[in-house]
Amino acid sequence: MKIAIVENRSLAIVTGTFAANIAAKDIEHQFDALTHFPDRRANAELDELAHRLNEFAGYVVELWEKASAPNPEPEIEAFTRRHVELTRRYWAAEGRCMNWFITGPARFPVARNEKRMKISDARRADLAAHPAAARKAVKRKAFPHGADDEPIRSGDPSALQRIMAKIEDLALSIDKMKAANSIVRRMEKDGADDAAMIAAIVTQTGLSAEVAARGVVLADWQWKRGFDTAGNRAEIRRLKGG
């Protein structure tokens, strides 16, 4: 999903009721004392901002589809408003900094510039932290009781069903790995190579080729082929409260 497009050195953003247009020529001056090529820096900043906005919008749309949630646009708009604000604050802080390679070393205000650079670094850190924090927030909204790939929460009304389903999946995985171990032992005696073992395991157990390879192809530190079911058994005991 694209909510931000850069064309002709100008960034156009539209999402929900929010719209903005940022021209590179309007922010170039903020990089005059930092680089010999402020126009290139301005272009790069617009491209990076567009990428961050589009990446977050795509994440939210995908998340909302998985959760079968309604319109994701309010979340995208809220993020966009805040992220553009944080970006402008960062640009403004950068505009107060100077690179002595650009301005010249004579009478260079070192202490004052160091203070301004610290502020700019803090603004950059705020900007970098915002997408990660926003992703966590929207994921909690999409899945208030936790997603399928997250720990099961006690407040989840379907917690019992999810626990039972997970136990069944783990038990099935154990059965498949036990069957795979039998295949490995039998084929090792017959002198079969790794590829033949992997193919047999995939065909007869339904395990993926990637999983099968982990139990067949020996790593440098391994001396014996096979699949370890101890972890899954321990997880079943934990889920059962034993």
Side-chain angles (χ1 to χ4, degrees):
M1 179 179 183
K2 281 195 174 183
I3 63 169
I5 299 175
V6 179
E7 289 183 342
N8 300 320
R9 303 190 68 228
S10 183
L11 170 62
I13 308 168
V14 178
T15 176
T17 61
F18 178 80
N21 193 289
I22 307 172
K25 63 181 179 61
D26 293 335
I27 64 172
E28 281 182 18
H29 67 279
Q30 293 177 311
F31 313 113
D32 285 342
L34 291 172
T35 173
H36 289 294
F37 306 101
D39 56 331
R40 296 181 186 178
R41 173 68 185 274
N43 291 339
E45 290 289 341
L46 294 185
D47 285 337
E48 290 170 10
L49 175 56
H51 175 73
R52 294 194 299 271
L53 295 177
N54 290 330
E55 190 174 50
F56 183 82
Y59 173 79
V60 174
V61 169
E62 183 179 348
L63 199 63
W64 254 237
E65 288 176 352
K66 288 180 179 178
S68 299
N71 183 20
E73 201 161 52
E75 301 300 330
I76 297 173
E77 180 180 342
F79 171 83
T80 301
R81 287 180 182 275
R82 179 59 175 162
H83 200 70
V84 170
E85 177 189 351
L86 289 173
T87 302
R88 289 188 181 278
R89 288 178 61 192
Y90 166 61
W91 289 341
E94 282 281 88
R96 291 190 289 272
C97 299
M98 293 181 287
N99 185 328
W100 74 267
F101 283 103
I102 308 300
T103 62
R107 300 175 62 84
F108 191 71
V110 175
R112 183 174 62 188
N113 193 54
E114 286 181 348
K115 182 177 180 180
R116 290 177 176 178
M117 291 178 71
K118 287 181 180 179
I119 293 173
S120 178
D121 288 343
R123 297 288 183 269
R124 185 189 296 111
D126 290 341
L127 184 61
H130 182 229
R135 284 188 178 220
K136 288 182 180 179
V138 296
K139 191 172 184 180
R140 284 195 297 269
K141 286 188 177 181
F143 298 98
H145 299 298
D148 291 340
D149 59 345
E150 294 180 330
I152 300 170
R153 300 172 185 174
S154 59
D156 186 349
S158 61
L160 182 58
Q161 292 89 333
R162 290 182 62 191
I163 289 173
M164 295 305 298
K166 190 169 185 179
I167 289 174
E168 289 177 6
D169 289 342
L170 289 168
L172 179 60
S173 177
I174 290 172
D175 289 341
K176 288 182 177 181
M177 286 190 286
K178 287 169 65 177
N181 284 335
S182 297
I183 293 170
V184 168
R185 288 193 296 270
R186 183 179 69 252
M187 295 186 72
E188 273 186 324
K189 291 179 180 178
D190 296 337
D193 60 15
D194 290 354
M197 291 184 196
I198 292 171
I201 290 170
V202 171
T203 302
Q204 298 178 41
T205 70
L207 289 173
S208 68
E210 182 182 357
V211 173
R214 288 203 295 266
V216 171
V217 180
L218 292 173
D220 294 339
W221 51 271
Q222 291 178 309
W223 61 274
K224 183 180 179 182
R225 293 185 177 89
F227 299 83
D228 185 5
T229 63
N232 284 355
R233 293 179 186 277
E235 179 65 5
I236 289 176
R237 289 195 297 272
R238 186 189 70 79
L239 291 171
K240 289 182 175 180

